[in-house]
Amino acid sequence: MHSPVACANLLRLLGALVALPAWAAPGSPQQADDSCAWPAPGSAVPAPKDLHSVHGALKLDLTLHDAREADGTIHYCYTLPDGSQSPTLRLHPGDELLLHLTNALIDPDALPAAGAGAAKAPNGVKAPSSVTIATSMPQADVCHSMAMTSTSTNLHFHGLTIPPRCHQDDVLQTSIQPTDAPFEYRFRVPQDEPPGLYWYHPHIHGFASNQAMGGAAGALIVEGLERAIPAVAGLPERVLVIRDLPLVHPNAPPSSAEPVVPPPILDADGDVTNNNTGYGKPARDLSVNFVAVPYPDYPPAKITLTPHQRELWRVLNASSVTYLHLALLYDKVPQPLGVVAIDGVPINRGAPSADSVKTVDHLVVPPGSRAEFIIEGPPLGVPGLFITRMVNTGRDGENDPNRALASVLADANAPEPSSRLPAFSSPLPPPKRPWLGDVAPVRERKLYFSERRADPEDPNSQILFFITVDGQEPKVFDMHSGTPDIVVKQGDVEDWIIENRSLELHDFHIHQLHFQVREWYGYVLDEPFLRDTVSVPFFDNHMRAYPSVRLRMDFRDPNIVGTFVYHCHMLEHEDGGMMGTIRVEPADSASAPAGNAATDRGASRNAVEISTAIGASSPQ
Ligand SMILES: [Cu+2]
């Protein structure tokens, strides 16, 4: 909920609404009296509120609300008691996070129109509704609830190597209902967690996509990047959370400034499919720190900085399905992006003497992934534009066209970003375990992404999504199955080949750990850093072999003993069944790993036909 001051500020902000074209829905897209209002399109990009740990701990109360906006869409938002949304949680390695999460969700079908007044959710929290709320649901133990409803929620701390246990980072059984008391999340950031950008979001199977698409996501920063990458010491930093949202103007024709492209085709989920032109209607709109940049005119959000100002941009792709392909143009010329970290891991993690800044002029960031890079602001009077270029997502993929995200303009009086990295810090101690790339894997497994129609005879039937261990039967994820798909032993290192047998991109993510990319689409990479999310190129029917990636999986950290999930981070696919479970057994347990479809190391290396069409889907 907003305080009166926050509401007054919001009203002032809404006064600056840009003029809407005739086809836009009448009325303003925001309401001042709901708790999930976003700034108007074209606004300055606001910085999320920073919450810093103090004396080794960060304590906060967070509430998840939903609200129906004037245009009929539903927003989900994490709010602090002062009304600010999706704070950035900042902790040092070794610090404790103590977060009380209140679920104030209202059933989306019961949400009243925007501005219809406020009611209390069953737990007594003020919620933006005047409807009667059923409170008859029996109170289940939150830790073993497993409830999967539109008003259930929980938290996943994406990228952190913390235990897959209730109150820490369990998403298989933990489910909080609106009738529950505030639920405590409490864990310590590991001492050896790489410094960089992580994030938090809900992870209720079947409902993750809608909640994230409505805005439920925020950044978490493990401080100390300057200890690994001296080039960022003293730099101002800007956290940019890119989310996707349902099209604000779904019925608008494309901008007359664009080339004419074939009319949009919708898939079974109602998403606009990829036309591989870079133009046309996108599957989703995007927002930058909640400033929407809607189709068809993409009015950019605004970033101002002092001329030539060097900054660290920490970009999180919190989209449910949208790939980002970032570039920064000054006078239409691509500018260098000095990449320093991917997925929360400094890019020199495995090779401290190597270049600690990798300069590129474009960068693909799949859903769930993060990229941190140094930019230099434009000179006075030179127009800059932060954009995402098209991504070819495959024949069955969504349309991710070229579009603006934010204008980048120099202003001698620009306010400084709210945060700056320390100018002096002690160097980061070397990781305590040998570099993952130097450890021989004890086992190799192959998994594959695939899709099929629920009724193969009916081209309009629902699409089922699978991630399958080679040798097992494809099945949609069943959270009530007590049998893990994969069992490994803590202490082991394995190589996993992830193959894509479908006609669209997928985006492999595993909880609790990072991996090293060894091969990507036939290219040998041996990356000197780690990722927790990686794009797996799509198959097309002309290829001789399925595209694949080879990942070196790190099961050495004792923190990760337990059962957790791996899945496609296109959340619509995850909700549709593209998820599996893995159990990491203690190193001293007697039982041998079971349920494995292990193959001889090297047996599956194949000569994948390299398509020149991957373009924007390349790894850097
Ligand atoms: Cu997918």
Side-chain angles (χ1 to χ4, degrees):
M1 292 144 290
H2 287 286
S3 67
V5 172
C7 281
N9 287 338
L10 192 62
L11 283 167
R12 276 196 291 279
L13 197 60
L14 291 175
L17 259 181
V18 292
L20 295 172
W23 38 260
S28 78
Q30 283 87 23
Q31 292 289 324
D33 62 344
D34 76 36
S35 57
C36 291
W38 296 346
S43 297
V45 174
K49 180 168 186 163
D50 282 318
L51 295 181
H52 297 265
S53 60
V54 178
H55 301 307
L58 173 58
K59 298 178 183 172
L60 70 147
D61 296 320
L62 204 58
T63 299
L64 179 63
H65 298 277
D66 56 351
R68 188 181 299 280
E69 304 304 309
D71 62 3
T73 60
I74 293 172
H75 288 181
Y76 290 80
C77 58
Y78 289 120
T79 53
L80 293 169
D82 70 359
S84 49
Q85 291 187 28
S86 289
T88 300
L89 313 182
R90 292 176 170 273
L91 300 101
H92 293 269
D95 285 352
E96 187 176 57
L97 178 70
L98 182 51
L99 186 159
H100 286 120
L101 179 65
T102 299
N103 180 347
L105 293 177
I106 306 289
D107 183 343
D109 291 334
L111 275 172
K120 300 264 185 184
N123 53 16
V125 174
K126 183 169 169 276
S129 168
S130 59
V131 296
T132 306
I133 300 145
T135 54
S136 56
M137 181 181 281
Q139 284 274 33
D141 174 7
V142 170
C143 285
H144 303 98
S145 158
M146 298 178 88
M148 288 167 25
T149 74
S150 60
T151 54
S152 306
T153 199
N154 60 12
L155 277 174
H156 171 47
F157 297 93
H158 183 126
L160 292 180
T161 311
I162 55 176
R165 287 194 212 123
C166 192
H167 297 286
Q168 299 193 59
D169 192 31
D170 164 62
V171 300
L172 279 168
Q173 299 198 34
T174 305
S175 180
I176 309 162
Q177 313 313 313
T179 47
D180 289 322
F183 185 75
E184 179 177 276
Y185 281 92
R186 184 176 205 142
F187 61 82
R188 211 168 268 288
V189 176
Q191 281 290 354
D192 57 351
E193 195 72 77
L197 179 59
Y198 298 75
W199 63 297
Y200 57 94
H201 65 87
H203 209 296
I204 296 291
H205 180 57
F207 300 92
S209 183
N210 275 348
Q211 293 190 6
M213 197 162 52
L220 185 154
I221 288 176
V222 176
E223 304 277 26
L225 185 56
E226 74 289 349
R227 301 176 67 193
I229 311 272
V232 302
L235 288 187
E237 57 180 317
R238 209 176 280 268
V239 173
L240 299 170
V241 182
I242 316 291
R243 300 172 175 89
D244 63 8
L245 58 144
L247 292 175
V248 176
H249 308 303
N251 300 318
S255 162
S256 57
E258 286 197 354
V260 175
V261 297
I265 297 170
L266 302 187
D267 68 15
D269 299 313
D271 297 328
V272 179
T273 54
N274 177 31
N275 63 25
N276 197 18
T277 64
Y279 299 100
K281 193 182 287 188
R284 300 277 189 282
D285 277 329
L286 291 170
S287 68
V288 185
N289 292 357
F290 293 124
V291 181
V293 188
Y295 165 84
D297 295 325
Y298 306 120
K302 289 191 181 70
I303 293 175
T304 52
L305 65 181
T306 51
H308 298 287
Q309 172 69 59
R310 293 175 74 248
E311 293 186 348
L312 174 67
W313 284 13
R314 320 188 86 162
V315 180
L316 156 61
N317 185 355
S319 298
S320 62
V321 296
T322 308
Y323 272 70
L324 298 177
H325 180 188
L326 302 174
L328 180 60
L329 310 180
Y330 292 167
D331 249 347
K332 301 182 179 171
V333 177
Q335 299 299 302
L337 309 175
V339 179
V340 293
I342 297 289
D343 288 356
V345 182
I347 62 161
N348 60 356
R349 181 76 171 174
S353 59
D355 276 352
S356 58
V357 181
K358 181 174 172 56
T359 302
V360 299
D361 64 8
H362 67 117
L363 186 60
V364 172
V365 187
S369 189
R370 290 83 71 211
E372 299 175 70
F373 48 85
I374 300 169
I375 64 102
E376 184 178 313
L380 268 181
V382 172
L385 202 58
F386 187 42
I387 63 165
T388 178
R389 296 186 189 278
M390 73 159 285
V391 173
N392 180 6
T393 59
R395 192 200 74 179
D396 289 355
E398 283 82 14
N399 203 35
D400 289 348
N402 300 301
R403 49 187 141 165
L405 293 171
S407 61
V408 180
L409 298 172
D411 178 344
N413 300 314
E416 200 174 281
S418 56
S419 186
R420 184 182 278 273
L421 286 102
F424 303 100
S425 288
S426 59
L428 205 63
K432 62 186 179 190
R433 281 183 279 272
W435 171 239
L436 184 60
D438 295 335
V439 180
V442 299
R443 192 171 294 103
E444 182 180 293
R445 297 172 202 265
K446 185 195 280 185
L447 290 79
Y448 62 93
F449 289 117
S450 64
E451 302 175 10
R452 71 168 169 81
R453 295 268 171 201
D455 177 0
E457 305 297 312
D458 177 2
N460 295 316
S461 63
Q462 183 193 4
I463 298 173
L464 305 179
F465 294 91
F466 311 104
I467 182 167
T468 309
V469 177
D470 197 24
Q472 298 180 5
E473 270 301 300
K475 57 177 174 49
V476 294
F477 177 71
D478 172 12
M479 62 187 290
H480 295 283
S481 161
T483 310
D485 300 291
I486 294 175
V487 179
V488 304
K489 187 85 78 174
Q490 184 260 315
D492 282 357
V493 167
E494 301 191 347
D495 271 10
W496 286 14
I497 295 164
I498 316 290
E499 217 170 61
N500 190 346
R501 301 184 184 178
S502 78
L503 301 176
E504 67 174 313
L505 287 181
H506 295 293
D507 181 18
F508 178 81
H509 168 57
I510 186 165
H511 289 207
Q512 265 58 54
L513 60 110
H514 281 79
F515 47 75
Q516 185 208 21
V517 179
R518 303 287 297 179
E519 289 176 28
W520 192 88
Y521 208 6
Y523 297 102
V524 174
L525 288 179
D526 197 14
E527 287 184 329
F529 56 93
L530 305 173
R531 299 177 186 257
D532 56 41
T533 306
V534 66
S535 183
V536 185
F538 56 82
F539 183 61
D540 82 34
N541 292 321
H542 305 293
M543 293 176 177
R544 292 193 300 269
Y546 295 118
S548 67
V549 301
R550 174 184 286 268
L551 311 177
R552 188 147 296 170
M553 311 294 292
D554 192 351
F555 301 108
R556 292 176 296 175
D557 197 310
N559 260 353
I560 69 169
V561 167
T563 302
F564 50 94
V565 295
Y566 53 85
H567 59 87
C568 178
H569 214 292
M570 299 183 80
L571 295 176
E572 203 167 83
H573 300 176
E574 182 229 297
D575 284 340
M578 211 167 235
M579 182 149 74
T581 52
I582 177 170
R583 187 169 74 219
V584 178
E585 299 193 326
D588 56 1
S589 63
S591 61
N596 302 327
T599 57
D600 291 334
R601 178 154 195 264
S604 297
R605 283 176 194 269
N606 50 27
V608 174
E609 178 174 320
I610 306 297
S611 162
T612 55
I614 60 171
S617 306
S618 61
Q620 287 289 331

